[in-house]
Amino acid sequence: MSAKEKLQGKTALITGASEGVGRAIAEALSHYDMRLGLIARSQKKLAEVAENVNRNGSVATILKTDLRIESEVKGAVEKFNTKFGVVNFLINNAGIGFRGRWGDISLESELETMAVNYAAPVTLIHSLLPDMLKTNAGHIININTIGGLYAAPYNGAYCASKWALLAYVESLAYELEN
């Protein structure tokens, strides 16, 4: 069975889909006749990605969402489920970080980093995993960084958020291995 046959008609929810790695993932998957939910804050950039996805034969829905706000994350899940049903692939790609000496970075910025890089993926997993388990299908892909393995000066909150996500999903993998 070819990759196209395996992926055709499947659904994917991609965070950080407006640029960089997230956009590349969306555009790569668009060649497989999939249904893609695109999450980011920029409506304009998401519209560009959606246009490319649709032109390549898949169907995209724009889910303009601020991942720092839990209610918006949950709202995006509801919109996705209403339009496409159960998610086959959750791709937690979005990430932010502020580089600088700890005293020069505001507490608000550090907490925003934790919200986007850790709390939003956990919220998405909590929202989508129950249906994946009911259907005994689905994949969760977390795009992480070397910062999830090593501490680095001037990147405390960023590294902490990436470590936290890694620890969370490794624990989850042990719980769900059977």
Side-chain angles (χ1 to χ4, degrees):
M1 181 180 284
S2 71
K4 187 163 188 161
E5 291 170 322
K6 288 180 183 178
L7 295 174
Q8 189 171 20
K10 300 287 187 192
T11 61
L13 183 60
I14 307 163
T15 67
S18 64
E19 58 188 21
V21 172
R23 181 179 184 142
I25 291 168
E27 292 182 355
L29 292 177
S30 71
H31 296 284
Y32 295 98
D33 298 326
M34 295 180 69
R35 296 169 295 152
L36 307 178
L38 309 175
I39 290 181
R41 289 181 291 175
S42 172
Q43 180 79 24
K44 182 180 177 186
K45 289 179 183 179
L46 285 174
E48 292 171 11
V49 177
E51 183 178 322
N52 290 338
V53 166
N54 293 331
R55 185 180 321 113
N56 290 333
S58 286
V59 177
T61 190
I62 294 170
L63 301 165
K64 183 180 178 299
T65 304
D66 187 336
L67 292 174
R68 298 171 296 183
I69 303 169
E70 181 183 348
S71 62
E72 286 194 27
V73 175
K74 289 179 176 179
V77 168
E78 285 181 34
K79 289 176 189 170
F80 181 89
N81 287 340
T82 299
K83 181 152 183 138
F84 293 140
V86 175
V87 70
N88 298 114
F89 298 93
L90 167 60
I91 304 173
N92 286 312
N93 166 70
I96 62 169
F98 300 93
R99 183 170 169 75
R101 188 174 154 79
W102 77 268
D104 296 333
I105 298 174
S106 70
L107 176 60
E108 179 182 74
S109 294
E110 293 198 300
L111 295 176
E112 286 178 359
T113 299
M114 292 301 291
V116 171
N117 299 355
Y118 176 72
V122 169
T123 301
L124 288 163
I125 291 167
H126 263 266
S127 299
L128 298 168
L129 184 57
D131 284 337
M132 289 179 174
L133 292 173
K134 282 180 195 167
T135 61
N136 197 31
H139 303 275
I140 299 169
I141 301 166
N142 298 296
I143 307 299
N144 214 324
T145 176
I146 196 74
L149 300 174
Y150 304 101
Y154 311 109
N155 284 294
Y158 180 76
C159 290
S161 69
K162 295 300 187 170
W163 281 18
L165 182 59
L166 182 60
Y168 179 81
V169 297
E170 282 188 11
S171 176
L172 187 61
Y174 286 123
E175 289 180 44
L176 300 176
E177 69 185 341
N178 292 322

